[in-house]
C-alpha cells in the first residue's frame, strides 16, 4: 500500500469515528417558545386589567400573566401596543403572547391561535354621572357623540337609529373625552368600563344598556406551537379554578356591588369552555385581508 492510499484510508476511518461519536452524543432539544423572558403584548392604561403607574403594573391580566409564567417557567415582560396592532406584534416577533382584553373572533383565528376564554363580558356605555342623555336603549341615536377604539370589537357593533362611533387610539382618550364633555359616551366591554369607573368618580357604567354579542377574552399565541399552546390552556384552566374569583373581586369591587350573587355567573368562564373556544394548531398563520377587531 502506498503512502497516499494509506493517508486516504486513515482519513476515512477518522471521519467514520467522528460521525459515530456525533451520533452517540447527547442530542439537544430545540429551545422552548415560551421560556426565559417572554414579551407579552398588552395595554398600560386599562385600570382593573393592566395599569402602569410609577413603573409598576397592576391588574387582573397582570396577575394572570404572572400565574401562567410561574406555571410554565417563564418571566412575563410587557410591551405596550394599540388595539389595532395586537396581531402584528406577534407576527413580527416583538411579542410571543397577547393578553390585552383581546376577544376571540373568527378573523383573529386567521392570524393567531387563541387560548381562552379567561373572562366573558357584554358591551355597554360609560357616561358622566351628571349626564342623562342615555338611560335606555332607545336613547342611543345619531345625535350622540359615542367614542370607541380603532381595531376593537366594539367598533364593529351596529347601533340603532343612525348612531355612529368616532374612534380614538385607546380607551383612556375616550374616557377623557367624556369627562371633558367632548363626547357623550364610551362604548366597549362592560368590565373594561367598570375599571375606569373604579378609577374616576365622575363617570358611571350603564349596565342595562347593552348591544352586540358577549365577548370572550383569550390569550393570543403564534401558530405552530401546539405543545405550549396546550400547556397554556392547562395552566389557564387551573387559574380559573384556583385564582380567578379572588383576583377579579380584588380588581373590580364595584362589579361585585353591582351584581351581588351573580357576578361569577356573568363574567367567569366555565373551565370546560376552554376546549370549545381554544385553538392550538401546528399550522403556520394564514394571511388574510380581514382587519383585527
Amino acid at each position: 500500500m502506498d503512502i497516499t492510499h494509506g493517508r486516504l484510508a486513515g482519513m476515512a476511518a477518522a471521519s467514520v469515528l467522528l460521525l459515530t461519536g456525533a451520533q452517540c452524543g447527547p442530542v439537544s432539544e430545540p429551545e422552548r417558545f415560551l421560556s426565559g423572558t417572554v414579551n407579552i403584548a398588552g395595554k398600560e392604561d386599562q385600570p382593573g386589567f393592566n395599569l402602569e403607574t410609577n413603573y409598576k403594573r397592576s391588574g387582573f391580566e397582570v396577575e394572570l400573566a404572572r400565574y401562567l409564567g410561574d406555571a410554565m417557567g417563564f418571566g412575563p415582560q410587557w410591551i405596550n401596543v394599540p388595539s389595532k396592532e395586537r396581531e402584528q406584534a406577534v407576527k413580527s416577533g416583538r411579542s410571543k403572547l397577547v393578553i390585552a382584553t383581546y376577544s376571540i373572533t373568527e378573523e383573529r383565528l386567521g392570524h393567531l391561535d387563541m387560548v381562552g376564554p379567561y373572562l366573558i363580558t357584554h358591551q355597554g356605555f360609560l357616561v358622566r354621572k351628571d349626564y342623562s342623555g342615555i338611560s335606555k336603549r332607545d336613547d342611543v341615536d345619531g345625535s350622540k357623540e359615542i367614542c370607541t377604539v380603532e381595531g376593537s370589537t366594539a367598533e364593529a357593533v351596529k347601533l340603532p337609529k343612525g348612531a355612529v362611533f368616532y374612534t380614538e387610539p385607546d380607551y383612556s382618550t375616550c374616557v377623557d373625552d367624556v369627562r371633558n364633555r367632548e363626547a357623550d359616551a364610551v362604548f366597549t366591554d362592560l368590565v373594561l368600563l367598570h375599571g375606569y369607573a373604579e378609577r374616576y368618580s365622575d363617570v358611571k357604567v350603564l349596565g342595562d344598556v347593552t348591544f352586540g354579542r358577549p365577548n370572550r377574552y383569550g390569550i393570543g399565541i403564534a401558530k405552530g406551537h401546539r405543545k405550549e399552546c396546550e400547556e397554556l390552556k392547562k395552566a389557564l384552566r387551573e387559574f380559573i379554578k384556583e385564582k380567578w374569583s379572588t383576583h377579579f373581586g380584588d380588581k373590580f369591587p364595584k362589579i361585585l356591588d353591582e351584581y351581588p350573587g351573580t357576578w361569577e355567573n356573568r363574567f367567569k368562564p366555565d373551565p370546560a369552555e376552554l376546549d370549545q373556544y381554544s385553538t392550538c394548531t401546528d399550522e403556520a398563520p394564514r394571511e388574510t385581508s380581514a382587519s383585527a377587531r
Side-chain angles (χ1 to χ4, degrees):
M1 176 171 62
D2 60 32
I3 296 175
T4 301
H5 183 74
R7 286 178 177 172
L8 290 174
M11 291 170 64
S15 298
V16 170
L17 288 172
L18 287 171
L19 288 171
T20 303
Q23 291 173 350
C24 293
V27 178
S28 61
E29 294 185 2
E31 183 179 353
R32 286 171 55 84
F33 183 64
L34 299 179
S35 63
T37 299
V38 171
N39 285 350
I40 302 176
K43 303 299 182 68
E44 62 178 333
D45 63 338
Q46 293 185 341
F49 281 101
N50 195 335
L51 183 67
E52 184 174 10
T53 54
N54 298 323
Y55 305 103
K56 293 183 179 180
R57 287 184 183 261
S58 62
F60 183 83
E61 291 181 333
V62 176
E63 299 296 344
L64 170 60
R66 185 177 293 123
Y67 183 95
L68 297 175
D70 289 344
M72 296 182 63
F74 66 81
Q77 177 169 285
W78 295 96
I79 64 168
N80 301 318
V81 295
S83 292
K84 65 179 181 178
E85 295 179 12
R86 287 175 290 194
E87 292 89 357
Q88 189 57 36
V90 172
K91 295 169 73 174
S92 68
R94 288 182 60 213
S95 69
K96 293 186 176 181
L97 299 175
V98 177
I99 304 179
T101 57
Y102 185 57
S103 300
I104 300 170
T105 68
E106 287 295 329
E107 289 175 90
R108 287 170 177 168
L109 294 176
H111 299 279
L112 306 178
D113 275 331
M114 299 284 279
V115 177
Y118 61 83
L119 189 143
I120 302 171
T121 178
H122 283 81
Q123 295 173 298
F125 295 91
L126 177 141
V127 299
R128 296 185 307 278
K129 281 188 174 178
D130 62 357
Y131 177 76
S132 60
I134 301 175
S135 61
K136 57 186 183 299
R137 288 173 62 93
D138 288 344
D139 294 334
V140 181
D141 59 34
S143 68
K144 306 298 190 299
E145 290 287 330
I146 302 172
C147 185
T148 195
V149 165
E150 183 181 2
S152 68
T153 52
E155 185 187 17
V157 173
K158 303 299 182 184
L159 297 179
K161 297 162 53 172
V164 296
F165 301 114
Y166 75 91
T167 61
E168 295 285 4
D170 54 63
Y171 287 112
S172 292
T173 304
C174 282
V175 173
D176 287 343
D177 287 352
V178 166
R179 299 181 70 213
N180 294 328
R181 301 178 183 273
E182 296 171 1
D184 295 307
V186 183
F187 181 80
T188 189
D189 301 332
L190 287 176
V191 179
L192 184 54
L193 295 175
H194 273 285
Y196 287 103
E198 296 273 0
R199 185 170 177 80
Y200 302 113
S201 61
D202 55 348
V203 296
K204 63 181 180 180
V205 179
L206 303 177
D208 295 330
V209 187
T210 64
F211 293 92
R213 298 178 178 179
N215 279 337
R216 291 174 168 82
Y217 291 168
I219 302 163
I221 180 174
K223 289 182 180 291
H225 303 279
R226 184 184 184 94
K227 180 180 178 182
E228 286 168 292
C229 183
E230 293 286 358
E231 290 176 4
L232 273 176
K233 184 168 69 172
K234 179 180 178 182
L236 176 57
R237 182 177 283 113
E238 294 306 308
F239 174 84
I240 293 171
K241 292 177 180 178
E242 296 176 358
K243 297 294 185 180
W244 191 99
S245 297
T246 298
H247 290 312
F248 188 89
D250 287 345
K251 308 308 178 187
F252 302 101
K254 286 188 177 180
I255 291 183
L256 275 62
D257 295 335
E258 182 85 9
Y259 305 101
T262 65
W263 56 275
E264 286 183 301
N265 292 335
R266 288 175 179 267
F267 303 108
K268 183 178 181 178
D270 184 332
E273 288 187 277
L274 271 62
D275 291 325
Q276 178 181 355
Y277 290 98
S278 299
T279 60
C280 295
T281 69
D282 295 319
E283 300 175 0
R286 302 187 304 273
E287 294 295 333
T288 70
S289 59
S291 61
R293 294 283 173 84

